[in-house]
Amino acid sequence: MRTSGLATVLLAACCVGEITAVGVSKKTPQVQILPPLQEQADLIDSWTEDRKALIPGLLRKYGVDAWLMSQREYAEDTVFWALKNAVQFSARRRTTHLFLASPKNGAESAYSWIDNTAAVWADLRAILAEQQPRSIALNTHPEIAFASGLHAGELDTISAALGEEWAERFVLEPMLPVEVVATMVPGRLPWYRRMQETAWAIIEEAFSEKTIVPGKSTPLDIEWWMREKIQSLNYTTWFQPGVVVMTEPGFPANEPAASRSRLRAAADRPIQYGDLIHTDFGVTALGLNTDTQHLGYVLYPGETEVDIPKGMIEGLKKVNRLQDIVKENMKIGMTGNEILKASLSQMHAEGIEGKIYCHPTGEWGHSAGTVIGMTNLQDSVPVLGDMPLLKNTYYSIELYAEHWVPERNRTLKFAQEEDVYWDAKTESWEWVYGRQEEFLLVRTPAEASLQSPGEL
């Protein structure tokens, strides 16, 4: 998610298709109704147990004997949210977790306490004395959010309570919490795909004559319509929906923060015939988050899909090609910066100008894992871009391509964002629901008094 982006074009409901993990079929995306809350909680807890079962193996992978997390109510470690029960809304009192890589003497591999007395430390010291871990990982990284969740005050408390003997064994292994949060267990994918379909369905309705009245509806109107639609379906979101007229000057992914006030003012300008419109949109449910950017075109009265400016159709094809380039270069084990460099090199070799700024998603909107460029960092991204790309994660392929549109006598930015998942069977990245390959169209019945301007 950025502050804006473009997406694909779907024609009329009779012509458009549902998108599957491998492409476009012939069914319009439909809103997927969430199950009752108790069923949602059961689903979430089953996925969390699957994730917790992976932790001992990840400890061994990173050469760590034990992993300790502790937090107070409303001062939670970032990883807490990936491991909590569905009916937990925060940590309580002091909530402490200990995970062991290879427990001895038939001991458990995981322990948890909710306590505000010294008893937790006595119990913890006893377990450590029996298990004798050589290393105890703490989440204290200075830059990586998902590996830096231990509050400074809590670190002081832990060190004092456990004593020098154990404090000397504290280590930092940032990839451990990153991979725990990043890993998407297989059971989540069917519902994540349904959530993506819901996001597509809401976008399709928003970017249609059902919702947009040219000359009257503003981008701000459509943003709040989308927000209300999410709420009415018992979903929520992790960011305010964004709608931008791309044929107007200024694109947030390319604008300095100082100019955002001008961009906000443009949100009150009514959407007009001939506008290229873009949305950045996501839904949240079941502990999952989606992130999508699609494009639409506002037809003049009486026009059909054959009247879309050819230059805009070419621009969408160009950004689709850029998506393919990035997806092909996302090799497991490469760093985000290596993937960025390879993708930009191939992009330029094919004569494409644009920007690449992809990120992990799923557990959080901007989730744990390496990033592949940022809008303001196209050479490399310090720290976050130096991590290796992990398997079994979800990613938002977010980017834009520039294209000269002769019908508008301008170079326009064609932005896209679609989520992918790692398919263990094919050992490749696949679209969660699909990708946009045609513009969403806002249609208006023919009016004799209003003509298309043709080429400007």
Side-chain angles (χ1 to χ4, degrees), residues 249-270:
F251 173 44
N254 208 35
E255 292 283 332
S259 64
R260 294 294 170 85
S261 58
R262 178 172 63 82
L263 293 170
R264 184 68 275 165
D268 290 324
R269 174 263 203 198

Side-chain angles (χ1 to χ4, degrees), residues 69-73 80 88 90-97 111-124 154 157-158 161:
M69 282 179 286
S70 190
Q71 56 259 299
R72 304 303 296 266
E73 189 171 15
F80 167 84
Q88 283 182 282
S90 70
R92 297 296 305 276
R93 300 180 179 180
R94 170 172 278 114
T95 300
T96 304
H97 302 292
Y111 297 86
S112 294
W113 296 264
I114 298 177
D115 198 345
N116 57 359
T117 74
V120 62
W121 307 122
D123 288 349
L124 189 52
E154 194 69 3
T157 299
I158 291 171

Side-chain angles (χ1 to χ4, degrees), residues 310-328:
K310 299 286 191 295
M312 292 187 183
I313 293 173
E314 292 168 357
L316 184 57
K317 290 180 179 178
K318 181 178 285 187
V319 76
N320 284 158
R321 175 57 193 149
L322 184 54
Q323 290 174 313
D324 292 337
I325 289 171
V326 173
K327 193 153 74 82
E328 291 164 6

Side-chain angles (χ1 to χ4, degrees), residues 277-296:
I277 54 178
H278 161 271
T279 187
D280 191 352
F281 181 73
V283 297
T284 297
L286 296 163
L288 292 165
N289 302 273
T290 72
D291 204 358
T292 305
Q293 294 182 27
H294 282 184
L295 291 170

Side-chain angles (χ1 to χ4, degrees), residues 1-3 143-146 251-255 260 326 336-337 339-341 344 347 354-360 366-367 369-387 395-396 398-400:
M1 185 276 297
R2 301 293 167 195
T3 47
E143 296 289 340
I144 301 172
F146 297 97
F251 173 44
N254 208 35
E255 292 283 332
R260 294 294 170 85
V326 173
N337 288 332
I339 296 166
L340 175 65
K341 182 179 180 180
L344 289 173
M347 177 184 89
K355 286 188 176 184
I356 296 167
Y357 36 101
C358 309
H359 60 85
H366 294 160
S367 200
T370 194
V371 299
I372 306 168
M374 287 187 172
T375 56
N376 62 327
L377 296 170
Q378 287 292 285
D379 293 324
S380 66
V381 180
V383 184
L384 297 181
D386 293 327
M387 293 186 285
Y395 263 78
S396 288
E398 184 178 12
L399 36 70
Y400 72 75

Side-chain angles (χ1 to χ4, degrees), residues 25 49 70 101 103 183 199 209 249 259 302 321 391 396 414 441-442:
S25 73
E49 289 306 308
S70 190
T183 300
E209 60 277 9
S259 64
R321 175 57 193 149
K391 294 181 179 180
S396 288
F414 292 80
L441 299 179
V442 180

